[in-house]
Amino acid sequence: MSQASQRATDLLRAKILEGRWKPGDRLAEVELAEILEVSRTPVREALSRLAVEGLVEMSPNKGARVATWSEARLNEIFDLRLLLEPVATGKAVGRLNDDEIDELEELAVRMHEHGRPGGDRDFSEIARLNRKFHATLIEKAESLQLEATLTSVRHISLATRNYQHFTEDSLSRSLSHHFEIVAAVRAGNSDWVEAVMRCHLHNARTAMLGAMSNPTIGTDNTRDGIGAILA
């Protein structure tokens, strides 16, 4: 893949995950070329790459669209994450130095600051910090196969965030899990890390799928954007 195509892929992926387009929205090559400031060839290659990752759907008649996922498909995604992600984060224990653990704790603090009730919540920033938190742990598992698989399935669940609403309780639990994961990593206890990660994923799945089956969940005490950002 050329440098221009890789840049286009990274930018387009980030914009989809940030919620620039909703699932099902059309992704026109000409418009994307202007937004990403590249020619249409890198855009075409980026769309093909993101289709493989599951973020884009390609159709001969309808062109490219942001992918949509059924409740059954999302359940499958979370089943896969529950099998692999706790193992990956457990493997990271002992492979993070003190400075890296401090950085994870700082990410947890910043997510809490942006997500606490009564503040000026910045859900896009929480999403960015959350992706960095989890990506760091997965990278430190030092397994390219695990990293590639988990990056793909995490992107799919993150990209559904515009349809979902965490309740205040779900959000509070999710933010707290990050601090407990850091504590477990600092203690060098991989069993503890894996247990908290499972709780974290179960919390996210319950919130997301509950909102899919009942769109009114969370609307009285949350705003658009909490969504799956902490999954």
Side-chain angles (χ1 to χ4, degrees):
M1 178 177 284
S2 69
Q3 186 174 357
S5 296
Q6 185 63 59
R7 177 176 175 275
T9 300
D10 293 342
L11 288 173
L12 183 55
R13 182 192 296 113
K15 289 183 181 298
I16 291 174
L17 294 177
E18 289 167 2
R20 172 70 180 266
W21 301 278
K22 300 187 298 295
D25 281 356
R26 185 169 179 269
L27 297 169
E29 289 183 10
V30 173
E31 178 186 358
L32 291 178
E34 294 177 357
I35 293 172
L36 303 178
E37 299 180 345
V38 295
S39 68
R40 292 180 64 178
T41 297
V43 168
R44 196 173 299 118
E45 293 176 353
L47 289 170
S48 296
R49 172 70 176 273
L50 296 180
V52 173
E53 293 184 12
L55 291 177
V56 171
E57 293 173 345
M58 308 283 284
S59 169
N61 299 322
K62 298 181 180 179
R65 295 180 180 275
V66 178
T68 57
W69 302 274
S70 65
E71 184 173 340
R73 176 60 174 149
L74 283 176
N75 257 318
E76 291 177 357
I77 291 298
F78 270 100
D79 284 344
L80 185 56
R81 290 184 64 186
L82 280 161
L83 283 172
L84 299 180
E85 198 159 352
V87 173
T89 53
K91 285 179 176 293
V93 174
R95 296 174 176 170
L96 291 144
N97 60 41
D98 289 342
D99 288 342
E100 290 168 330
I101 296 173
D102 288 344
E103 183 178 356
L104 284 176
E105 186 167 22
E106 176 62 21
L107 291 171
V109 169
R110 290 166 65 189
M111 279 186 275
H112 182 266
E113 289 174 347
H114 285 296
R116 61 189 174 189
D120 186 14
R121 286 173 164 169
D122 185 343
F123 298 114
S124 293
E125 182 63 7
I126 298 173
R128 186 188 70 80
L129 296 169
N130 182 70
R131 288 197 297 271
K132 185 174 182 180
F133 184 95
H134 286 271
T136 298
L137 289 169
I138 292 169
E139 180 182 351
K140 284 296 180 176
E142 297 180 3
S143 169
L144 293 177
Q145 188 60 55
L146 268 176
E147 185 175 357
T149 303
L150 282 169
T151 296
S152 178
V153 297
R154 288 194 71 249
H155 283 169
I156 290 174
S157 53
L158 286 167
T160 64
R161 70 192 183 114
N162 287 334
Y163 282 143
Q164 318 304 327
H165 302 269
F166 272 41
T167 64
E168 290 291 348
D169 286 345
S170 295
L171 177 61
S172 178
R173 278 194 296 273
S174 198
L175 292 169
S176 296
H177 289 156
H178 293 110
F179 287 107
E180 189 170 359
I181 288 169
V182 173
V185 170
R186 202 180 289 281
N189 190 325
S190 59
D191 289 339
W192 184 9
V193 171
E194 291 183 25
V196 181
M197 183 57 70
R198 289 190 180 93
C199 290
H200 190 60
L201 292 171
H202 278 298
N203 180 59
R205 173 154 75 174
T206 299
M208 291 173 64
L209 296 179
M212 285 189 80
S213 60
N214 183 1
T216 63
I217 290 177
T219 54
D220 291 338
N221 56 4
T222 60
R223 291 173 24 187
D224 284 348
I226 293 181
I229 55 177
L230 295 177

